[in-house]
């Protein structure tokens, strides 16, 4: 995790997403993170919204309860390109993205139940799911681009 922030539980997810992409003024607590566990010290016990971000992954907002002796919060992020949400970017993701483009019934139904699927499948973040997203996933599988979808040198 590259970025971690706590927000008031009353703040909307849209406001939090705007803050993450902006100057991060609304957060109560921010930290740089590593690994997939986040610990908080000197935080008033309460319910918060936890926003986590890592390059190449979908930002995640979740509600957490922080107590005076709180255990670390485990965060699992979904990689861009991991359309199947199985923890890896592979050929099955290309097939699902293809099915979305073709309007296949199973893919359409899956998009209705998986709220992050369209974000994971829109790898180039152009607000469309198309062949260019498939090409980026293919390039990642082949090692042409890294997990941030930047060309390797």
């Amino acid at each position: 995790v590259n970025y971690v922030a706590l927000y008031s539980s009353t703040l909307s997810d849209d406001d939090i997403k705007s803050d993450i992409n902006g100057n991060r003024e609304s957060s109560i607590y921010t930290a740089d993170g590593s690994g997939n566990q986040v610990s908080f010290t000197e935080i008033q016990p309460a319910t918060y919204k936890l926003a986590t971000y890592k390059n190449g992954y979908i930002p995640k907002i979740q509600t957490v309860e922080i107590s005076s002796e709180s255990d670390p919060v485990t965060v699992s992020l979904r990689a861009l390109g991991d359309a199947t949400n199985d923890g890896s970017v592979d050929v099955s993701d290309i097939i699902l993205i293809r099915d979305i483009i073709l309007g296949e019934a199973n893919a359409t139904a899956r998009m209705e139940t998986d709220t992050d699927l369209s974000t994971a499948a829109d790898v180039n973040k152009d607000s469309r799911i198309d062949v260019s997203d498939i090409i980026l996933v293919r390039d990642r599988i082949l090692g042409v681009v890294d997990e941030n979808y930047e060309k390797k040198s």
Side-chain angles (χ1 to χ4, degrees), residues 86-106:
D86 63 359
S88 65
V89 177
D90 54 30
V91 175
S92 63
D93 299 302
I94 291 175
I95 293 167
L96 180 53
I97 295 169
R98 179 206 62 194
D99 289 351
I100 291 168
I101 294 167
L102 296 174
E104 296 288 332
N106 67 330

Side-chain angles (χ1 to χ4, degrees), residues 117-130:
L117 175 53
S118 62
T119 306
D122 182 18
V123 178
N124 63 5
K125 302 178 192 174
D126 66 355
S127 301
R128 297 181 318 211
I129 299 170
D130 55 25

Side-chain angles (χ1 to χ4, degrees), residues 47-92:
T47 301
Y48 297 95
K49 287 191 177 181
L50 172 67
T52 51
Y53 176 79
K54 180 178 180 180
N55 289 334
Y57 290 76
I58 300 170
K60 184 172 186 174
I61 300 169
Q62 65 193 65
T63 302
V64 294
E65 186 72 35
I66 305 292
S67 64
S68 57
E69 297 179 22
S70 192
D71 290 330
V73 176
T74 300
V75 177
S76 60
L77 297 176
R78 184 174 185 173
L80 287 173
D82 185 12
T84 59
N85 199 22
D86 63 359
S88 65
V89 177
D90 54 30
V91 175
S92 63

